[in-house]
Amino acid sequence: MQNMKLKQQIESAINDFKNPDLFKTGINLFKTLGYNTQRQSRLDNSTFKGFYNDFIDGNDNIPDVDKFKKKALTSDWQSIEMLFQLTESEMRSQDALFSAGRVDKTIIEAYLFFAIELKKRDYSRTKLSDITRYINRVFPMPVMVLFKYGKQLTLSVIKRRLHKRDESRDVLKKVTLIKDIKIEDSHRAHIEILFDLSLEELRKKHAVTNFVELDKAWQKTLDSSELNKKFYKELASWYFWAVQNVEFPEDAEKNAEARNATSVIRLLTRLIFVWFLKEKRLVSEILFNKKTLDEYLKYNDINNST
C-alpha cells in the first residue's frame, strides 16, 4: 500500500512539470524520491550566461568555451537551474552511518543536481549524453541532470573514476538515461524505474553507506541489461499466470494446454509489435490508454455470449 502511494506521488510530481517553474518542479520530484534538497544555491541568472559567469569563466577544466557551447548545445538551453547539492551532511541527517570519501579508486564527496529546459520537442540519446558529459567536465563532483523538453523529461547520470596518473582529475565514462518520461500519462515502466531510484528503495536493495555506493546503485538501477532482466522476468511471470487463466475457442487446437500457450504467445508478440509501432508514432497512443479504450470497447461475459 505504501509503495502504491509513493508511485502515485511520483506520477503527480512528473505531471507537475506542466508548471513552467523548473526549479520548483525539479525540487519537488527529488523530494518525492526521498532526497534531502535543503542545500540550495540558485543561479542569479537561469540562462547559459548565468551558468557561464558562475562556473565556466576562468575554469581551467574548460579551456575551449566554443567547443563547450557546441557540444553542450547551449544555444538550445531555454533555462538552467542548479537545484541542490547533496553532501555528507545531508545524507548523514537521514543515515548516521553515511560517509564520504574514497572507495574502490573513486572519490565522491558530494553530488550536484541540475535541471535544464531545452527548446526543441525531442532530442536523441547522443545529444542528451553530450550535454551531460560536458556539464560534468565543469565540476569536480558528479552531476545528475534532469532535462525537460516538449512534453517529456529525461534523467541523466554519468559514471566517473579517478584518472590513473592524475588523481586530481576524473575520467568521465558511460552516460545512463531514463529517457522520454512523459509529463502527462507517464508510462508505468518509467514510474517503476523512478520508484526504484527513490532513496528508500535503493537502501532496501543495495548497500548505500557512501556516495560511491549511492552512485553505483543509481547506475545499476538504470543499467539497460538490469532493466531487460526485470522486464523479461515480469513478462515470464505474466505468461505463466495467463496460460492458466485464459480461454480460447477450440477451433484451432483441441488440447487446451497447447492452445492456451500458443495463443498467449501470439497475443504477446502482436502486442509488443503494436507497442513498437506506437513508440515510433506510427499508430495512436490511445491503443494503450485504458481510460480511453474503456469508452470504446464492449466487454461481454464469455459464458453468456451467443
Side-chain angles (χ1 to χ4, degrees), residues 39 90 152 181 203 241 292 296:
R39 189 180 291 268
E90 283 74 46
Q152 301 177 111
I181 304 167
R203 283 178 168 150
W241 171 85
T292 304
Y296 295 99

Side-chain angles (χ1 to χ4, degrees), residues 34-36 86 89-96 98 199 203:
Y35 295 95
N36 186 334
L86 270 183
S89 176
E90 283 74 46
M91 295 301 294
R92 283 178 67 86
S93 70
Q94 296 175 283
D95 183 352
F98 193 92
L199 191 56
R203 283 178 168 150

Side-chain angles (χ1 to χ4, degrees), residues 186-201:
S186 304
H187 291 164
R188 184 181 70 86
H190 283 148
I191 302 296
E192 293 286 344
I193 295 170
L194 288 171
F195 172 76
D196 289 340
L197 284 177
S198 66
L199 191 56
E200 183 177 351
E201 283 302 301

